[in-house]
Amino acid sequence: MRNHIVAGNWKMNLNAAESQKLIEDLKSKKLSSDVRVAIATPAVYLATAANQTANTKIGVAAQNMHQADSGAFTGEISASMLKSIGVHTTLLGHSERRAYFHETDELLAEKVNTALKNGMEIIFCFGEELDERKSESHFDVVTTQLRNALFHLDASQWSQIILAYEPVWAIGTGETASPEQAQEMHAHIRAVLAAQYDDALAQSISILYGGSVKPANAQEIFSQPDVDGGLIGGASLKADDFAAIVNAF
Ligand code: PGA
């Protein structure tokens, strides 16, 4: 079901006290009732965050998980571990995971399968790099990312998938895709989904935009017909800014 969603990606920021304070600050804000809100905290804070946000409209998501169910994978976290602390949503495929941790489309397909097998919801991130945009291959790049990691899924499995288009050149750079660029790509993604599956499925998928979304530009981006919300990095670390973005719908 297509929803308005604003998710914060805290990345590797904040200590435990700061994390708890940010959540308490967010809880004190009025957040629009027709926007689903989630925060992807660092893994060490997830259990506390899940407790802090119980019975609130703020959901908690992991930033990553391992593709295996369990075993000798030092330092890693499994889907069943996340579920056991009340976390049922995970980001997968963030560009920083792809760039710095060598996550390929093929690995991401495995992670997607493991997450779905465990009943997790996925916020699947993808997007082109600057040179790919400059060479005008961005539509092909995005289509390939989706095809390689997600198009083996049955239509029914897509009810657990949220897409997050994040042009790499706009992440943490202060440079945002223009509302027109975001809309153009989101419409492309929906068309690709319609061609691979059908129009009903394409229309049912929430597609978030990520990359330097701020209170000042959120409303314009969210007003685009195929933009269903945002994945927010830097601006999700300030309760006032994050709440303003949620309420920009
Ligand atoms: P940014 O990050 O909002 O700081 O650009 C977005 C993201 O990486 O998800």
mmCIF file of all heavy atoms in Angstrom, residues 70-98:
data_model
loop_
_atom_site.group_PDB
_atom_site.id
_atom_site.type_symbol
_atom_site.label_atom_id
_atom_site.label_comp_id
_atom_site.label_asym_id
_atom_site.label_seq_id
_atom_site.Cartn_x
_atom_site.Cartn_y
_atom_site.Cartn_z
ATOM 1 N N SER A 70 22.454 -17.130 10.572
ATOM 2 C CA SER A 70 23.262 -17.146 11.794
ATOM 3 C C SER A 70 24.625 -17.732 11.420
ATOM 4 O O SER A 70 24.811 -18.176 10.283
ATOM 5 C CB SER A 70 22.617 -18.037 12.870
ATOM 6 O OG SER A 70 22.603 -19.380 12.418
ATOM 7 N N GLY A 71 25.549 -17.739 12.367
ATOM 8 C CA GLY A 71 26.807 -18.439 12.118
ATOM 9 C C GLY A 71 28.037 -17.604 12.361
ATOM 10 O O GLY A 71 28.001 -16.572 13.038
ATOM 11 N N ALA A 72 29.152 -18.067 11.809
ATOM 12 C CA ALA A 72 30.463 -17.486 12.081
ATOM 13 C C ALA A 72 30.689 -16.264 11.188
ATOM 14 O O ALA A 72 31.396 -16.327 10.182
ATOM 15 C CB ALA A 72 31.543 -18.540 11.851
ATOM 16 N N PHE A 73 30.038 -15.173 11.552
ATOM 17 C CA PHE A 73 30.167 -13.926 10.788
ATOM 18 C C PHE A 73 30.424 -12.797 11.786
ATOM 19 O O PHE A 73 29.538 -12.000 12.095
ATOM 20 C CB PHE A 73 28.902 -13.671 9.955
ATOM 21 C CG PHE A 73 28.643 -14.769 8.959
ATOM 22 C CD1 PHE A 73 27.671 -15.725 9.193
ATOM 23 C CD2 PHE A 73 29.410 -14.867 7.808
ATOM 24 C CE1 PHE A 73 27.452 -16.753 8.287
ATOM 25 C CE2 PHE A 73 29.208 -15.893 6.895
ATOM 26 C CZ PHE A 73 28.230 -16.842 7.138
ATOM 27 N N THR A 74 31.630 -12.782 12.307
ATOM 28 C CA THR A 74 32.001 -11.865 13.389
ATOM 29 C C THR A 74 31.618 -10.424 13.058
ATOM 30 O O THR A 74 31.946 -9.931 11.983
ATOM 31 C CB THR A 74 33.520 -11.972 13.650
ATOM 32 O OG1 THR A 74 33.810 -13.319 13.998
ATOM 33 C CG2 THR A 74 33.957 -11.039 14.769
ATOM 34 N N GLY A 75 30.923 -9.821 13.990
ATOM 35 C CA GLY A 75 30.573 -8.411 13.836
ATOM 36 C C GLY A 75 29.263 -8.162 13.127
ATOM 37 O O GLY A 75 28.839 -7.008 13.028
ATOM 38 N N GLU A 76 28.625 -9.213 12.664
ATOM 39 C CA GLU A 76 27.418 -9.014 11.845
ATOM 40 C C GLU A 76 26.136 -9.220 12.656
ATOM 41 O O GLU A 76 26.154 -9.753 13.767
ATOM 42 C CB GLU A 76 27.448 -9.969 10.644
ATOM 43 C CG GLU A 76 28.535 -9.633 9.643
ATOM 44 C CD GLU A 76 28.285 -8.309 8.925
ATOM 45 O OE1 GLU A 76 27.126 -7.971 8.646
ATOM 46 O OE2 GLU A 76 29.263 -7.597 8.643
ATOM 47 N N ILE A 77 25.025 -8.821 12.068
ATOM 48 C CA ILE A 77 23.719 -8.847 12.735
ATOM 49 C C ILE A 77 22.709 -9.497 11.792
ATOM 50 O O ILE A 77 22.651 -9.146 10.607
ATOM 51 C CB ILE A 77 23.295 -7.403 13.088
ATOM 52 C CG1 ILE A 77 24.251 -6.842 14.152
ATOM 53 C CG2 ILE A 77 21.852 -7.356 13.584
ATOM 54 C CD1 ILE A 77 24.139 -5.376 14.343
ATOM 55 N N SER A 78 21.928 -10.431 12.324
ATOM 56 C CA SER A 78 20.996 -11.175 11.471
ATOM 57 C C SER A 78 19.576 -10.624 11.573
ATOM 58 O O SER A 78 19.226 -9.895 12.516
ATOM 59 C CB SER A 78 20.971 -12.646 11.876
ATOM 60 O OG SER A 78 20.307 -12.783 13.122
ATOM 61 N N ALA A 79 18.766 -11.041 10.622
ATOM 62 C CA ALA A 79 17.352 -10.642 10.624
ATOM 63 C C ALA A 79 16.657 -11.122 11.887
ATOM 64 O O ALA A 79 15.877 -10.384 12.498
ATOM 65 C CB ALA A 79 16.657 -11.206 9.386
ATOM 66 N N SER A 80 16.932 -12.362 12.297
ATOM 67 C CA SER A 80 16.219 -12.873 13.475
ATOM 68 C C SER A 80 16.633 -12.120 14.738
ATOM 69 O O SER A 80 15.819 -11.926 15.645
ATOM 70 C CB SER A 80 16.422 -14.377 13.641
ATOM 71 O OG SER A 80 17.780 -14.640 13.822
ATOM 72 N N MET A 81 17.881 -11.661 14.798
ATOM 73 C CA MET A 81 18.292 -10.837 15.952
ATOM 74 C C MET A 81 17.497 -9.539 15.981
ATOM 75 O O MET A 81 17.028 -9.096 17.023
ATOM 76 C CB MET A 81 19.781 -10.491 15.854
ATOM 77 C CG MET A 81 20.692 -11.664 16.070
ATOM 78 S SD MET A 81 22.379 -11.111 15.765
ATOM 79 C CE MET A 81 23.203 -12.679 15.778
ATOM 80 N N LEU A 82 17.367 -8.920 14.800
ATOM 81 C CA LEU A 82 16.614 -7.658 14.738
ATOM 82 C C LEU A 82 15.173 -7.882 15.180
ATOM 83 O O LEU A 82 14.627 -7.138 15.992
ATOM 84 C CB LEU A 82 16.662 -7.090 13.310
ATOM 85 C CG LEU A 82 18.052 -6.638 12.843
ATOM 86 C CD1 LEU A 82 18.036 -6.311 11.354
ATOM 87 C CD2 LEU A 82 18.517 -5.424 13.646
ATOM 88 N N LYS A 83 14.576 -8.950 14.658
ATOM 89 C CA LYS A 83 13.177 -9.214 15.015
ATOM 90 C C LYS A 83 13.029 -9.466 16.510
ATOM 91 O O LYS A 83 12.028 -9.092 17.108
ATOM 92 C CB LYS A 83 12.663 -10.419 14.227
ATOM 93 C CG LYS A 83 12.365 -10.050 12.782
ATOM 94 C CD LYS A 83 11.555 -11.073 12.035
ATOM 95 C CE LYS A 83 11.867 -12.482 12.410
ATOM 96 N NZ LYS A 83 11.212 -13.495 11.636
ATOM 97 N N SER A 84 14.048 -10.104 17.100
ATOM 98 C CA SER A 84 13.938 -10.447 18.522
ATOM 99 C C SER A 84 13.973 -9.218 19.420
ATOM 100 O O SER A 84 13.622 -9.300 20.596
ATOM 101 C CB SER A 84 15.047 -11.434 18.921
ATOM 102 O OG SER A 84 16.308 -10.781 18.952
ATOM 103 N N ILE A 85 14.415 -8.079 18.879
ATOM 104 C CA ILE A 85 14.348 -6.838 19.681
ATOM 105 C C ILE A 85 13.257 -5.910 19.154
ATOM 106 O O ILE A 85 13.224 -4.718 19.460
ATOM 107 C CB ILE A 85 15.710 -6.095 19.740
ATOM 108 C CG1 ILE A 85 16.236 -5.763 18.339
ATOM 109 C CG2 ILE A 85 16.739 -6.909 20.518
ATOM 110 C CD1 ILE A 85 17.354 -4.728 18.338
ATOM 111 N N GLY A 86 12.379 -6.438 18.319
ATOM 112 C CA GLY A 86 11.224 -5.649 17.878
ATOM 113 C C GLY A 86 11.488 -4.762 16.680
ATOM 114 O O GLY A 86 10.742 -3.819 16.424
ATOM 115 N N VAL A 87 12.536 -5.067 15.917
ATOM 116 C CA VAL A 87 12.846 -4.284 14.711
ATOM 117 C C VAL A 87 12.477 -5.120 13.495
ATOM 118 O O VAL A 87 13.022 -6.206 13.295
ATOM 119 C CB VAL A 87 14.342 -3.888 14.674
ATOM 120 C CG1 VAL A 87 14.688 -3.181 13.366
ATOM 121 C CG2 VAL A 87 14.655 -2.981 15.859
ATOM 122 N N HIS A 88 11.548 -4.626 12.702
ATOM 123 C CA HIS A 88 11.006 -5.407 11.583
ATOM 124 C C HIS A 88 11.263 -4.756 10.230
ATOM 125 O O HIS A 88 10.708 -5.184 9.224
ATOM 126 C CB HIS A 88 9.496 -5.619 11.786
ATOM 127 C CG HIS A 88 9.191 -6.369 13.042
ATOM 128 N ND1 HIS A 88 9.144 -7.731 13.095
ATOM 129 C CD2 HIS A 88 8.973 -5.941 14.309
ATOM 130 C CE1 HIS A 88 8.881 -8.127 14.336
ATOM 131 N NE2 HIS A 88 8.785 -7.049 15.097
ATOM 132 N N THR A 89 12.057 -3.696 10.217
ATOM 133 C CA THR A 89 12.355 -2.978 8.973
ATOM 134 C C THR A 89 13.858 -2.763 8.896
ATOM 135 O O THR A 89 14.502 -2.488 9.913
ATOM 136 C CB THR A 89 11.641 -1.603 8.966
ATOM 137 O OG1 THR A 89 10.243 -1.798 9.137
ATOM 138 C CG2 THR A 89 11.893 -0.837 7.680
ATOM 139 N N THR A 90 14.415 -2.892 7.697
ATOM 140 C CA THR A 90 15.838 -2.590 7.530
ATOM 141 C C THR A 90 16.082 -1.845 6.222
ATOM 142 O O THR A 90 15.412 -2.104 5.215
ATOM 143 C CB THR A 90 16.701 -3.870 7.566
ATOM 144 O OG1 THR A 90 18.094 -3.504 7.547
ATOM 145 C CG2 THR A 90 16.424 -4.810 6.399
ATOM 146 N N LEU A 91 17.019 -0.907 6.258
ATOM 147 C CA LEU A 91 17.554 -0.369 5.011
ATOM 148 C C LEU A 91 18.408 -1.461 4.384
ATOM 149 O O LEU A 91 19.020 -2.254 5.088
ATOM 150 C CB LEU A 91 18.483 0.839 5.258
ATOM 151 C CG LEU A 91 18.018 2.043 6.048
ATOM 152 C CD1 LEU A 91 19.118 3.125 5.995
ATOM 153 C CD2 LEU A 91 16.729 2.593 5.518
ATOM 154 N N LEU A 92 18.458 -1.512 3.093
ATOM 155 C CA LEU A 92 19.434 -2.354 2.392
ATOM 156 C C LEU A 92 19.924 -1.589 1.173
ATOM 157 O O LEU A 92 19.145 -0.853 0.543
ATOM 158 C CB LEU A 92 18.811 -3.684 1.933
ATOM 159 C CG LEU A 92 18.546 -4.749 2.996
ATOM 160 C CD1 LEU A 92 17.916 -5.989 2.344
ATOM 161 C CD2 LEU A 92 19.816 -5.144 3.743
ATOM 162 N N GLY A 93 21.211 -1.761 0.855
ATOM 163 C CA GLY A 93 21.736 -1.211 -0.387
ATOM 164 C C GLY A 93 22.072 0.267 -0.361
ATOM 165 O O GLY A 93 22.241 0.880 -1.425
ATOM 166 N N HIS A 94 22.194 0.843 0.839
ATOM 167 C CA HIS A 94 22.564 2.256 0.864
ATOM 168 C C HIS A 94 23.873 2.465 0.092
ATOM 169 O O HIS A 94 24.762 1.612 0.123
ATOM 170 C CB HIS A 94 22.714 2.742 2.309
ATOM 171 C CG HIS A 94 22.832 4.227 2.384
ATOM 172 N ND1 HIS A 94 24.029 4.873 2.158
ATOM 173 C CD2 HIS A 94 21.904 5.189 2.586
ATOM 174 C CE1 HIS A 94 23.821 6.181 2.246
ATOM 175 N NE2 HIS A 94 22.550 6.404 2.506
ATOM 176 N N SER A 95 24.002 3.609 -0.552
ATOM 177 C CA SER A 95 25.184 3.832 -1.409
ATOM 178 C C SER A 95 26.486 3.754 -0.622
ATOM 179 O O SER A 95 27.528 3.388 -1.170
ATOM 180 C CB SER A 95 25.082 5.165 -2.128
ATOM 181 O OG SER A 95 25.119 6.212 -1.200
ATOM 182 N N GLU A 96 26.424 4.101 0.678
ATOM 183 C CA GLU A 96 27.654 3.990 1.476
ATOM 184 C C GLU A 96 28.015 2.527 1.706
ATOM 185 O O GLU A 96 29.196 2.176 1.757
ATOM 186 C CB GLU A 96 27.487 4.755 2.800
ATOM 187 C CG GLU A 96 27.470 6.260 2.543
ATOM 188 C CD GLU A 96 26.602 7.062 3.488
ATOM 189 O OE1 GLU A 96 26.264 6.577 4.579
ATOM 190 O OE2 GLU A 96 26.246 8.200 3.119
ATOM 191 N N ARG A 97 27.028 1.656 1.848
ATOM 192 C CA ARG A 97 27.297 0.212 1.954
ATOM 193 C C ARG A 97 27.863 -0.298 0.628
ATOM 194 O O ARG A 97 28.768 -1.117 0.595
ATOM 195 C CB ARG A 97 26.021 -0.568 2.290
ATOM 196 C CG ARG A 97 25.316 -0.188 3.569
ATOM 197 C CD ARG A 97 25.986 -0.652 4.815
ATOM 198 N NE ARG A 97 26.639 -1.921 4.751
ATOM 199 C CZ ARG A 97 27.501 -2.362 5.684
ATOM 200 N NH1 ARG A 97 27.810 -1.599 6.718
ATOM 201 N NH2 ARG A 97 28.066 -3.536 5.574
ATOM 202 N N ARG A 98 27.296 0.191 -0.461
ATOM 203 C CA ARG A 98 27.791 -0.259 -1.774
ATOM 204 C C ARG A 98 29.231 0.207 -1.975
ATOM 205 O O ARG A 98 30.087 -0.544 -2.434
ATOM 206 C CB ARG A 98 26.904 0.299 -2.892
ATOM 207 C CG ARG A 98 25.475 -0.248 -2.895
ATOM 208 C CD ARG A 98 24.644 0.479 -3.956
ATOM 209 N NE ARG A 98 23.230 0.163 -3.912
ATOM 210 C CZ ARG A 98 22.603 -0.685 -4.746
ATOM 211 N NH1 ARG A 98 23.275 -1.303 -5.687
ATOM 212 N NH2 ARG A 98 21.304 -0.887 -4.640
#
